[in-house]
Amino acid sequence: MRVGLLSDAHGNLLALEAALARLGPVDALWVTGDTVGYGPDPSDVLALLRERGALLVQGNHDLAVATGEGLAWFNEHAAAAAELHHDWLSPLERDALAALPRVVASEGFTLCHGSLRDPLWEYVTSGGAARASLELAGTPHGCVGHTHIPAVFVVEGGATRTERPRDGDVVTLGGRCLANPGSVGQPRDGDPRASCAALDTTAGTITFYRAAYRVDETQRRIRARGLPDFLADRLAYGV
Ligand code: ZN
């Protein structure tokens, strides 16, 4: 089974379309949260993922946009965008985001946005944090998002190895691992291209991809819709 793994699309429709095109045909799409927040097209991004039958989990931005919960923890730009998105989305769309599960298991993988210790808010950036999260999973493997940086934490005996995959890299999952596909809509690893990955559940591998898209057009839409300039500027640098 080939599974497209996406995270942190953040209302960036052009980036999502590029990522889906780069992935090509998949048997399933899994999305580890933050479908909305930051970008110019939250409603279109949510609609496209639902149309594609994606399995979505809730991220901290999804909850904040839907209900206002957690807004106090956001920086000013993130909070301004979340409040605008709240107003742009219909009550039905907000209800759908509010009702998303925070943890879901499928095909031997447990999906959440942050970590199994704190599904909405913890940033897993170290082998120790990845291991602690996996210990709470009822499956061999896990998928997370939230950091906007692609990574695979592979548990091997007593040690945890951290891979920082680039475009085209294939990582073997091994016995236990936690994978983060990076961010579709707002990458923060210095590469502005949309980040995504594909799991091959039969071969036990994950392949990472980057997809170029019209960053300038997303920036234009961000400014045209009255979102903070900073959210447009950062997309050019992937930070
Ligand atoms: Zn995010």
Side-chain angles (χ1 to χ4, degrees), residues 126-202:
S126 70
R131 199 182 185 92
S133 191
L134 276 173
E135 277 165 12
L136 298 174
T139 58
H141 304 298
C143 301
V144 297
H146 196 41
T147 65
H148 296 211
I149 295 175
V152 188
F153 304 95
V154 184
V155 177
E156 286 172 333
T160 306
R161 189 181 83 246
T162 302
E163 300 273 358
R164 300 283 179 202
R166 299 192 200 183
D167 188 24
D169 284 355
V170 182
V171 179
T172 300
L173 301 177
R176 299 210 83 180
C177 82
L178 191 71
N180 185 329
S183 169
V184 170
Q186 194 195 82
R188 294 181 192 159
D189 62 347
D191 182 343
R193 296 176 296 172
S195 189
C196 58
L199 291 162
D200 184 328
T201 60
T202 312

Side-chain angles (χ1 to χ4, degrees), residues 8 10 33-34 36 38 60-61 113 145-148 183 186 188:
D8 296 274
H10 279 300
D34 280 5
V36 301
Y38 292 134
N60 56 319
H61 284 256
H113 181 59
H146 196 41
T147 65
H148 296 211
S183 169
Q186 194 195 82
R188 294 181 192 159

